[in-house]
Amino acid sequence: MCGIIGATGTAAAPSFLIEGLHRLEYRGYDSAGLALVEAQGIWRARAAEGTHSVEDLEVLARTAPQGARCGIGHTRWATHGRPSVENAHPHLDCTGRLALVHNGIIENHAELAIGLLDRGHVLASETDTECLAHLVEEAVAEGTRLSRAVVRALSMVRGSFAIAVVHADQPGTIVAARRATPLVVGLTDDVSMLASDIPALLGTTRRLVALEDDQVAVLTPGSLEVATFDGDEIDPTALTVEWDLEAAQKGGYDDFMSKEMHEQPHAVAETLLDRRSPDGTLRLDDLRIDDDQLRSIDRVCIVACGSSYHAAMVAKYAIEHWARLPTEVDIASEFRYRDPVLDQRTLTVGVSQSGETLDTLQALREARRWGSRVLAVSNVVDSSMAREADGVLYTRAGPEIGVASTKCHLAQIVVLELLALTLAQLRGTRTPAQIDAVVRGLHELPDHVAEALAREKEVRDVADTLVGARDFFFLGRGVGFPVALEGALKLKELSYLRAEGYPAGELKHGPIALIEPGTVVVGVATRSPLYEKMLANVAEVASRGATVVLVADDGDDQAAGVADHVLWVPATEAILSPVVGVVPLQILAYQLARRLGNDVDRPRNLAKTVTVE
Ligand code: AGP
């Protein structure tokens, strides 16, 4: 997730762009840049130093040409290409007279780049975005006006985009377009502006319009023209915004956690994008471990902490089920000290949203000392783990601000299941048709997650009945067990209530002694090969007076018959079900924490990234 901004008609263009980028930093800050249109051409500045790229850009902008009244800017959350000045937006075309910024993912960028290189273009970055600048360049060179040149370039693109383009031959004009990625336009009498998100414009105007998918906008000072990609003029829909700045950065949600829960469908969809070659085989970005090395793997060890550990547990089931590879999952802080037995045929996978958790980082270093190949699964491009690993698999959830992990957890499960399928593809333990069927199921998950989120009120009603409860068990079997653990962790870290995640089949070996009237047992009872056994375990706790809350598939009357409350979810294939089943548990924990007056974005005693052992 990146932030783009643009403005035309203001003598304060540089400062407006910088201020807007500061307000968009929560969308990413790996690098920042701006381009201004002036008489001589395009003036560009870019910075990519750690988390203060926008501040560094602000210093560079002091040397911007005075009087520049039109420009675009970008703050980056890297997905393709490491954070660097070369990869920072805006990107230029070969003439240096066109500049472009982009938020989204160009799925077919590799094919487009090959064609551009064949036609003599010089690509100066590793990004998917730069291809767009050169495609627009080609159309402009044929005499097409800028707005139609942008549409022609985008017609060759698969993926998601929100872009803004300027050209030195059309000073004062910005062309913008979007698909599946947000873009807002603002107006005053003299200035036209655009941004990825409302916060960047709120300080200047509340005259806002939201572009729709496959619409192109032409901004000139104080005026706006919008058309469909087919050229039909559109009267854009005005946005009424009552938010203040902070509310706007939360997208109108009460807090970042709520916003990020609702970003989960998009996070899963983005993480699934661009994972297949034209021939349909799975292709994982930055893996940098070649197929023969992967085929030589005879064991997988996964190390992680917290929610990432729970995602790793789901991966164990997936890798063993599909790829038939023995897979161990370790708490990272334990792994290092258990004298693990690893060798060069072991693949050690570190799962970490931040890519900086020291327990996991040290575990990976230990694995490398044993000669194991190391793969990092991270949400932060070029994080410490990503840099040190032999290969990297990125989730594309965008910045996760809330301390309690939600969208990254779902994205981790999805990308780890893609890894499991890739291993199965390489080892031939699943046919292409079988793999394709599962991939189709993965691509249905964003809609299922959105449907689970749409039932927020039903979950809120259940939370209302549980206010006052002080003793929670979360039970699950098979892939439902990591879901139970994640539900318990969410409740603990947000509401500070005691909650224990436990394998449902194990409860009778002691902990069932704790069950009494008033104990709340949350069971993950979505359909799976262990469904009947799960319901039997539920009956054991219900008969001892527990209040039973079940996560169950839509229409499952059998589950409803043994529960006091049901958190309904759309049915999915068992091994994909954690991605959907965990959603009502996130909402339940969030709602109980809100009722207790807790700060859900910054729970007590916690930090978003734990860089101590
Ligand atoms: C999850 O909600 C917690 N914030 C915590 O358990 C977290 O998952 C853990 O610290 C691991 O963080 P990482 O994914 O950045 O490595």
Side-chain angles (χ1 to χ4, degrees), residues 305-308 351-354 357 403-405 412 489-490 493 610:
C305 305
S307 294
S308 300
V351 184
S352 173
Q353 176 275 131
S354 61
T357 297
V403 167
S405 186
Q412 286 171 341
L489 176 62
K490 284 289 154 302
E493 65 178 332
V610 182

Side-chain angles (χ1 to χ4, degrees), residues 255-396:
D255 39 62
F256 279 108
M257 181 177 172
S258 193
K259 173 173 179 275
E260 287 155 9
M261 280 197 286
H262 287 83
E263 286 175 343
Q264 292 185 120
H266 186 66
V268 170
E270 290 281 296
T271 298
L272 285 168
L273 270 181
D274 189 22
R275 301 293 190 184
R276 301 187 88 169
S277 300
D279 66 4
T281 55
L282 287 169
R283 177 200 66 208
L284 299 177
D285 61 355
D286 294 344
L287 206 50
R288 298 198 307 263
I289 302 176
D290 71 37
D291 288 354
D292 290 338
Q293 290 166 333
L294 284 177
R295 283 191 192 95
S296 71
I297 297 298
D298 64 3
R299 190 156 61 93
V300 178
C301 284
I302 313 177
V303 294
C305 305
S307 294
S308 300
Y309 172 72
H310 301 148
M313 290 176 70
V314 177
K316 169 186 169 67
Y317 291 102
I319 295 170
E320 292 190 336
H321 181 62
W322 289 325
R324 308 307 298 154
L325 264 174
T327 302
E328 301 164 37
V329 185
D330 278 88
I331 294 281
S333 54
E334 290 297 311
F335 175 80
R336 290 182 62 201
Y337 303 105
R338 68 173 176 82
D339 201 11
V341 178
L342 311 172
D343 60 28
Q344 73 282 1
R345 298 188 64 191
T346 307
L347 175 67
T348 302
V349 182
V351 184
S352 173
Q353 176 275 131
S354 61
E356 302 298 342
T357 297
L358 190 55
D359 285 327
T360 309
L361 192 56
Q362 297 286 41
L364 292 181
R365 288 167 179 165
E366 177 73 5
R368 179 183 289 285
R369 276 194 288 275
W370 285 92
S372 169
R373 291 196 187 289
V374 170
L375 173 66
V377 172
S378 179
N379 194 52
V380 179
V381 174
D382 222 38
S383 54
S384 299
M385 277 178 225
R387 283 198 303 273
E388 295 186 20
D390 296 307
V392 187
L393 256 184
Y394 287 118
T395 51
R396 300 176 191 142

